[in-house]
Amino acid sequence: DTGVSQNPRHKITKRGQNVTFRCDPISEHNRLYWYRQTLGQGPEFLTYFQNEAQLEKSRLLSDRFSAERPKGSFSTLEIQRTEQGDSAMYLCASSLSLGQPQHFGDGTRLSIL
Amino acid sequence: RKEVEQDPGPFNVPEGATVAFNCTYSNSASQSFFWYRQDCRKEPKLLMSVYSSGNEDGRFTAQLNRASQYISLLIRDSKLSDSATYLCAVIEDTGGFKTIFGAGTRLFVKA
């Protein structure tokens, strides 16, 4: 399967812990996006990369959140000092270029105890 | 006002019915438009892109109205398997570019 791959699929952790998620995009896609989705809502934009450059970051993304894409391939999203409000599905998507459709991974479901 | 708005529904329709959804967007500089389908606890999957001239894919037709700032999705001859949440997505030019999703419209097709 050459689609977008995310891991882990599920993460359960205690409040205050740090978590890191990984996303492997479709190999020829240079744009990579992170979203957060809660029940009954659409995906909420967090940030996106063109190759290794982080080009846009949502104002909703607090300084506890950081994302990297060091070699322009896979990306990581880290949440420090997790809070209960961070519980959500974290989705990664990739696209060939700006304006092209985005293809999503299965997501990482985060539960904060 | 939300940047992208959809009627949450749910729309309950019988098999074989025609159903239409609208999605309005507030940023006139929006550039690209898409419809996604999302099943319960699954990731969104691209249904179709929306072009200025409109486009059709089998039972699905998407249209863009730039003057009134909305996109639409028409599903003809509904199937049970069409039951899902339909999300519209808009790429905004805000200096940078970001993708804004609507909250989705739920569709239930009943036998």
Side-chain angles (χ1 to χ4, degrees):
Chain A
D1 186 351
T2 56
V4 178
S5 175
Q6 290 187 249
N7 66 81
R9 291 292 304 276
H10 304 275
K11 180 70 176 179
I12 301 172
T13 191
K14 292 181 179 179
R15 187 172 48 140
Q17 298 295 303
N18 299 343
V19 295
T20 300
F21 311 140
R22 176 177 169 128
C23 172
D24 288 86
I26 294 171
S27 58
E28 62 267 29
H29 286 185
N30 63 33
R31 290 188 176 245
L32 185 149
Y33 308 81
W34 285 100
Y35 295 89
R36 176 172 62 192
Q37 188 175 26
T38 54
L39 195 63
Q41 300 299 314
E44 177 186 32
F45 172 82
L46 295 178
T47 189
Y48 88 89
F49 293 83
Q50 178 173 314
N51 300 313
E52 65 276 10
Q54 188 173 16
L55 295 187
E56 187 78 14
K57 195 172 172 181
S58 169
R59 290 189 302 271
L60 301 172
L61 206 64
S62 78
D63 57 6
R64 296 185 298 106
F65 288 70
S66 62
E68 294 183 340
R69 194 182 183 198
K71 296 182 180 179
S73 56
F74 73 92
S75 175
T76 58
L77 176 69
E78 181 183 17
I79 309 174
Q80 295 182 324
R81 305 180 303 280
T82 52
E83 301 172 357
Q84 287 206 319
D86 297 332
S87 295
M89 174 74 87
Y90 289 83
L91 292 162
C92 175
S94 68
S95 69
L96 195 57
S97 63
L98 177 67
Q100 294 298 304
Q102 296 172 30
H103 299 271
F104 284 83
D106 292 339
T108 294
R109 186 171 295 281
L110 174 64
S111 298
I112 307 297
L113 302 176
Chain B
R1 183 184 171 187
K2 289 183 180 178
E3 293 164 287
V4 177
E5 290 197 78
Q6 294 184 252
D7 181 343
F11 285 62
N12 294 289
V13 303
E15 271 187 296
T18 296
V19 62
F21 310 134
N22 280 345
C23 167
T24 59
Y25 59 94
S26 60
N27 188 335
S28 59
S30 297
Q31 298 202 339
S32 302
F33 308 88
F34 306 93
W35 283 103
Y36 285 80
R37 170 202 169 116
Q38 186 170 30
D39 294 293
C40 190
R41 301 183 75 82
K42 297 285 190 179
E43 78 277 16
K45 291 188 186 295
L46 179 70
L47 184 63
M48 57 201 310
S49 302
V50 188
Y51 305 121
S52 297
S53 55
N55 51 309
E56 186 173 317
D57 183 3
R59 299 182 293 110
F60 299 84
T61 300
Q63 292 191 316
L64 167 64
N65 185 318
R66 283 194 182 273
S68 300
Q69 295 185 198
Y70 73 87
I71 63 173
S72 63
L73 178 68
L74 183 77
I75 306 176
R76 290 181 297 278
D77 188 24
S78 299
K79 311 291 185 192
L80 294 177
S81 58
D82 293 335
S83 296
T85 296
Y86 290 83
L87 299 161
C88 63
V90 174
I91 296 181
E92 292 188 342
D93 181 356
T94 55
F97 295 91
K98 62 178 183 178
T99 307
I100 307 297
F101 280 82
T105 297
R106 297 193 71 186
L107 172 66
F108 293 101
V109 181
K110 299 180 178 181

